[in-house]
Amino acid sequence: MNSSEEIAVSGMSAGRSAMRMGPAELVQAAAMARRFYLEGKSKIQIAEEFGVSRFKVARVLETALERDLVRIEIRVPAELDAERSDALRARYGLRHAVVVESPAEAEDTPDPENLGEVAADLLGELVNEGDVLGLAWGRSTIHMAAALDRLPPCTVVQLTGVYDAGTAERGSVEAVRRAAQVSGGDAHPIYAPMLLPDAATAAALRSQTGIARAFEYFDKVTVACVSIGSWEPGISTVHDMLSDQERAHYASLGVAAEMSAHLFDAEGRRVGRDLGERCITVKADQLRRIPEVVAIAGGARKASAIDAVLRSGLVTSLVTDTSAADVLMTAGPTPKPALNRADPDGP
């Protein structure tokens, strides 16, 4: 995840313009550049060593760069696209944006597995000892948890119920356990479906001891990891759990995306809030108060959904791929910064 800088300093293989410098100037410039870029000495220290002013040192270093005597290369691992990452971060006002090269064989595949691997490394950077890490249900968060190999000691809590209670052990429950195992902290899983038949059943489940204990941690979460779904079959777990009639109803409200069972239109406004009453999930206003909310989502088919969720202001950071990033960079008018997290629709 960390970029590295390679600094090449040469006194003999400089470009043509640098060769206009005399040999003594070349040798001195190369020596000063070596002290500054490779040995980490300050301009004042270099000035004292060579018996010149620090202003002359600054001029020599500037000339060395202009005349190709010094070459600075910024390199990141091949799978990361630093330019797209920075552009995406700036466009949406995110705290962090990490764009991963889309696999050639799966450019349109939603949430390619390599997103989870990079997100695992990002969480290793963002989570501090004593934090409370929240994990929402989603294929991308499950891939992320499986790739985790380092986390400071922290508490891990599940933020949503599961897509299918019968597969809980292989899904988000296992993701919570895995993260807690890596960190050495406590795990608070939720053994319940995300979507219930009615609000009364959901309320009854929320009051059960194990689920209530997990809910108590929601207001303490400091870093959350969530997935994003498009409103279409196979790319949204909530969409797939609803009846045809229910899907049509929410589609009529203009739903374009879902995250943790919260629905959003194309402008990032929450719609269909009644659905939340039937769900075991963290509330939207709780998500908004979490200092760091990392969304993991990619693929061109998910780009419009990612755009919608980013416009909601609930997400502070994003891990995505080049296929989605290319669409996001041209997706409608420039959105308001995500770090301005006021709810445009009220509480």
Side-chain angles (χ1 to χ4, degrees), residues 3 34 41 50 64 140 164 190 200 223 227 229 280 283 300:
S3 65
R34 186 175 299 280
K41 291 188 176 181
F50 287 87
S140 58
D164 180 352
I190 294 177
V223 180
S227 297
I280 303 297
K283 295 178 180 178

Side-chain angles (χ1 to χ4, degrees), residues 3-26:
S3 65
S4 62
E5 294 188 359
E6 178 181 281
I7 302 170
V9 179
S10 170
M12 299 304 295
S13 59
R16 289 186 179 180
S17 59
M19 292 307 293
R20 298 195 194 107
M21 298 172 69
E25 290 177 303
L26 276 172

